[in-house]
Amino acid sequence: MDTNGNVLLSGYTDYKIIDGSKWLIFKQGNHYGVVDPISKKVIIKNEFEQLDSFIRNLGIAKKASGYGVIDINGKTILPFDYEEIRVLAANGNHRYSSSPVIGMSDLIFDANITEQVKQRLAYEVQIEQAPYFFEVTKNGKTGICNWDGKTIIPLGKYQNIKLHYYNGKTFFLVGSNQNSGIVDENGMEILPVHYSFDDGYQYSASGIENQFDISQRFITFSDGKAGEHHALKIGLFDLQTKKVLISPHEQQITLFNKDLILVRKLVSNYHYQFSIYHIGQDKICTFDNTVIDIRLVNDHFLLVEHHDKSLQLTDTDGKLVYSNTNWTSDGSYDLIRFPNYEKYPNGRFYHGLKKIYVKEGNLFIDTVGNEKCFEEYDQVDDFYEGYAIAAKKIIDKENYSGFKYQRGMIDLKGNIVVPFEYEQVLTTGKESDILIFSKLNQQIMVRRDGQIILGPGYQDLEVGGAYLNFTFAKGDKYGLADWSGKILVEPLYDEIRRNYEGEDITWPLLVKEGEWYYFVGRDGQKYAIKSKEKRY
């Protein structure tokens, strides 16, 4: 019927919709066909024992001879001689119906969604937009056909077939008799079926796991073990060039970023040779045998550790940028442990400066290796947001060491932002992005970017970050503020407790003033009910 209740079509025993079409799958007797309910014209005669929902205008149908595929007009795409046919997306996921393709734009994203989630969603849309495939089975043998019905992998050529999507194309990881290889989108064997695939500890792409244009580009494969060694001989195959990028060897391979690959190759027992492979330039840089570890710094530098634990900073070609005879992987016990910043790791370049962890706690280098020392301060943390926590050593005869440190904050030029009169620094906020400087019974709250949230004169600043606001005390009375420093509730109360099931997990507040407990709303209005006791 139409929406007015007029009968358009009758006389059939069943109907099923066809996604994206006004036509219907109908059943008459025990057979299925396709009909136009407006014109009542039969588009495809009811000659099929089974007709599944059409996907991208193609449907899997069954006759007495077996399963096949037809288009929306009844044209045969795959003959009716298979025991089973399944529709596969570009990455190998099964499709049972048409999936809508959603265009990804910044407008549809919630502000709280992380960049990693956005990249994943965009990648899933990209896969859904790519061509589908048919997995066909006959006499227990499996093959792959493309959406036009052309055979890509013939029936029974391989025992196992797994689809792998990369950069708009689908590749096939195939296997027979416990050996594996790779077939491209045209059915050509680009990696012979002589190997096995490995995704164990010897290979890592964790640093670029959300950069799918690079993380899905490479396939690790193994050539077995060398003698009685426990590790595998692994190599790296490049789907972009359809060639072996790194030949199998007993080694560890790490994708640093879209440009660099670290190769740690076993030379002899417990001795390794380190190399950096430049992907775009197709060249390799090999380091001398004194190197025992290499880490990436800011995508442009390498932190190189040697047998004697000394550290050096080089460019990605191994050219020395900076060295210091006192700079080792042991660090220094004289350094203060400043609060971590969850958002950023330490040891990188921030605003052009990298901290050097030596006995001098105020030493930095710039991006060309020139030293910069903040001599007025004994210890300085990383300049994460262009500002750094710092400390000065002062004489304290009451301390067993004879001195103590007072904390403050400076900018990149060494100018004081927070005076050096605080004994302790704590962090709060969701990513430890807010600092609380404390001394005796006074505290101030400061952002990592140097912005003062609450100045001197406050106490008992709440450490946490799980709420939209925080409690504070001033003159032994408690109030409430948001993270910009705006006072929401003046410090008038002896106690404040949030309503965890209320608005913003906060309102109304339960407060105590003198002997009485009562509630206060967001607008400051006092509720009439009050009590001298509270129970939970």
Side-chain angles (χ1 to χ4, degrees):
M1 292 183 292
D2 64 18
T3 54
N4 293 320
N6 300 312
V7 175
L8 300 178
L9 199 63
S10 64
Y12 300 116
T13 56
D14 193 14
Y15 301 104
K16 292 190 290 186
I17 64 168
I18 298 174
D19 289 335
S21 171
K22 292 183 179 179
W23 295 347
L24 299 173
I25 296 172
F26 73 92
K27 182 180 182 182
Q28 189 172 38
N30 293 320
H31 290 79
Y32 294 87
V34 174
V35 64
D36 181 350
I38 305 298
S39 67
K40 300 181 177 59
K41 179 182 176 181
V42 173
I43 309 300
I44 301 175
K45 293 181 180 180
N46 57 317
E47 57 184 8
F48 305 106
E49 296 178 3
Q50 181 179 327
L51 182 55
D52 294 342
S53 296
F54 282 77
I55 300 175
R56 295 184 178 179
N57 291 325
L58 297 184
I60 299 172
K62 183 179 184 298
K63 290 185 175 180
S65 57
Y67 286 92
V69 174
I70 60 173
D71 69 12
I72 196 70
N73 294 302
K75 178 184 175 182
T76 299
I77 305 300
L78 286 177
F80 290 84
D81 54 4
Y82 296 104
E83 297 167 358
E84 186 179 6
I85 299 177
R86 296 195 294 179
V87 175
L88 303 179
N91 63 348
N93 289 343
H94 296 162
R95 287 288 179 261
Y96 302 99
S97 61
S98 293
S99 298
V101 176
I102 302 172
M104 288 294 166
S105 70
D106 291 337
L107 297 177
I108 72 170
F109 288 119
D110 186 281
N112 294 321
I113 293 179
T114 65
E115 189 61 34
Q116 289 80 5
V117 172
K118 291 181 183 180
Q119 290 172 343
R120 166 63 69 179
L121 290 172
Y123 179 67
E124 290 176 354
V125 169
Q126 186 185 133
I127 291 174
E128 189 53 44
Q129 292 173 333
Y132 284 177
F133 297 87
F134 293 109
E135 179 188 77
V136 296
T137 302
K138 184 177 181 179
N139 298 324
K141 298 178 180 179
T142 300
I144 299 290
C145 300
N146 69 12
W147 206 241
D148 294 325
K150 178 183 176 182
T151 297
I152 297 177
I153 298 178
L155 285 167
K157 185 173 182 180
Y158 305 105
Q159 295 172 348
N160 304 303
I161 306 171
K162 180 181 178 182
L163 279 62
H164 180 93
Y165 176 81
Y166 164 67
N167 197 27
K169 297 179 181 179
T170 294
F171 296 84
F172 304 90
L173 312 185
V174 298
S176 293
N177 300 320
Q178 297 183 334
N179 290 323
S180 300
I182 303 175
V183 171
D184 70 9
E185 71 277 13
N186 300 312
M188 299 295 295
E189 206 170 88
I190 53 178
L191 180 68
V193 185
H194 298 154
Y195 305 97
S196 62
F197 295 123
D198 176 71
D199 58 357
Y201 75 94
Q202 290 175 243
Y203 173 71
S204 173
S206 60
I208 45 92
E209 62 182 352
N210 289 300
Q211 301 176 40
F212 302 104
D213 60 328
I214 187 71
S215 65
Q216 300 301 306
R217 175 175 170 176
F218 302 105
I219 302 293
T220 49
F221 64 98
S222 172
D223 197 16
K225 294 183 179 180
E228 297 181 354
H229 289 197
H230 70 281
L232 294 170
K233 295 190 294 178
I234 67 167
L236 207 61
F237 188 87
D238 185 356
L239 296 177
Q240 179 74 27
T241 61
K242 298 183 180 181
K243 294 179 181 179
V244 173
L245 188 71
I246 299 173
S247 298
H249 193 90
E250 189 172 339
Q251 57 195 351
Q252 293 182 359
I253 301 173
T254 302
L255 265 69
F256 273 157
N257 56 25
K258 63 182 181 63
D259 300 313
L260 303 174
I261 300 174
L262 172 68
V263 182
R264 183 175 179 261
K265 181 186 292 186
L266 180 69
V267 177
S268 60
N269 286 339
Y270 306 108
H271 292 284
Y272 296 87
Q273 181 185 69
F274 285 79
S275 301
I276 294 290
Y277 186 89
H278 294 252
I279 299 171
Q281 302 174 40
D282 192 25
K283 71 175 185 179
I284 194 164
C285 171
T286 301
F287 291 76
D288 64 50
N289 58 10
T290 66
V291 174
I292 62 170
D293 195 16
I294 295 178
R295 295 184 289 279
L296 184 67
V297 179
N298 287 75
D299 282 344
H300 301 292
F301 302 96
L302 302 174
L303 185 63
V304 181
E305 182 178 356
H306 297 266
H307 281 298
D308 61 1
K309 296 188 176 182
S310 64
L311 297 175
Q312 292 180 332
L313 193 73
T314 76
D315 63 18
T316 55
D317 290 321
K319 181 181 177 181
L320 183 65
V321 174
Y322 178 77
S323 65
N324 185 323
T325 55
N326 296 318
W327 191 23
T328 72
S329 57
D330 285 339
S332 173
Y333 292 106
D334 294 327
L335 296 181
I336 290 176
R337 188 178 183 89
F338 291 108
N340 289 335
Y341 192 2
E342 299 297 333
K343 189 176 179 180
Y344 299 115
N346 54 26
R348 295 184 179 180
F349 282 92
Y350 294 107
H351 296 269
L353 293 180
K354 170 180 167 51
K355 182 176 174 63
I356 301 299
Y357 289 86
V358 291
K359 187 173 182 179
E360 295 80 22
N362 51 15
L363 180 63
F364 292 77
I365 60 169
D366 62 21
T367 53
V368 294
N370 295 322
E371 291 187 346
K372 179 177 178 60
C373 189
F374 293 85
E375 296 179 350
E376 296 181 23
Y377 313 103
D378 295 283
Q379 307 258 351
V380 181
D381 194 16
D382 282 295
F383 287 87
Y384 296 112
E385 304 283 3
Y387 296 81
I389 308 169
K392 284 184 175 182
K393 184 186 290 187
I394 63 171
I395 296 173
D396 182 6
K397 295 182 179 179
E398 295 181 2
N399 196 315
Y400 73 94
S401 63
F403 65 88
K404 67 178 181 180
Y405 286 103
Q406 288 188 329
R407 276 80 168 168
M409 187 181 233
I410 61 173
D411 63 15
L412 286 162
K413 295 182 179 180
N415 299 318
I416 295 175
V417 178
V418 175
F420 286 78
E421 53 190 54
Y422 295 94
E423 300 169 355
Q424 187 179 18
V425 184
L426 304 173
T427 61
T428 186
K430 292 182 178 180
E431 295 178 318
S432 303
D433 55 334
I434 296 175
L435 303 170
I436 297 175
F437 289 81
S438 302
K439 64 174 181 179
L440 297 175
N441 195 31
Q442 290 192 40
Q443 294 178 314
I444 66 170
M445 181 179 284
V446 186
R447 292 193 181 279
R448 294 272 188 174
D449 61 6
Q451 177 188 346
I452 305 295
I453 298 175
L454 286 181
Y458 293 90
Q459 309 94 32
D460 202 13
L461 298 180
E462 184 178 24
V463 176
Y467 304 102
L468 299 175
N469 44 60
F470 64 92
T471 59
F472 65 89
K474 189 171 186 179
D476 296 326
K477 298 292 184 179
Y478 285 86
L480 192 73
D482 66 18
W483 294 107
S484 70
K486 179 182 178 181
I487 304 298
L488 304 176
V489 176
E490 293 292 340
L492 303 171
Y493 305 105
D494 298 306
E495 293 181 24
I496 282 182
R497 184 178 178 87
R498 294 181 182 87
N499 181 353
Y500 300 115
E501 296 182 356
E503 185 180 354
D504 292 340
I505 323 176
T506 302
W507 309 99
L509 294 172
L510 175 64
V511 302
K512 183 182 182 184
E513 186 176 15
E515 297 181 325
W516 294 99
Y517 290 96
Y518 58 89
F519 295 100
V520 175
R522 183 194 287 271
D523 57 1
Q525 181 180 1
K526 298 179 180 180
Y527 287 33
I529 188 172
K530 63 180 182 178
S531 172
K532 289 189 175 182
E533 293 184 10
K534 70 177 190 295
R535 296 183 183 178
Y536 301 105

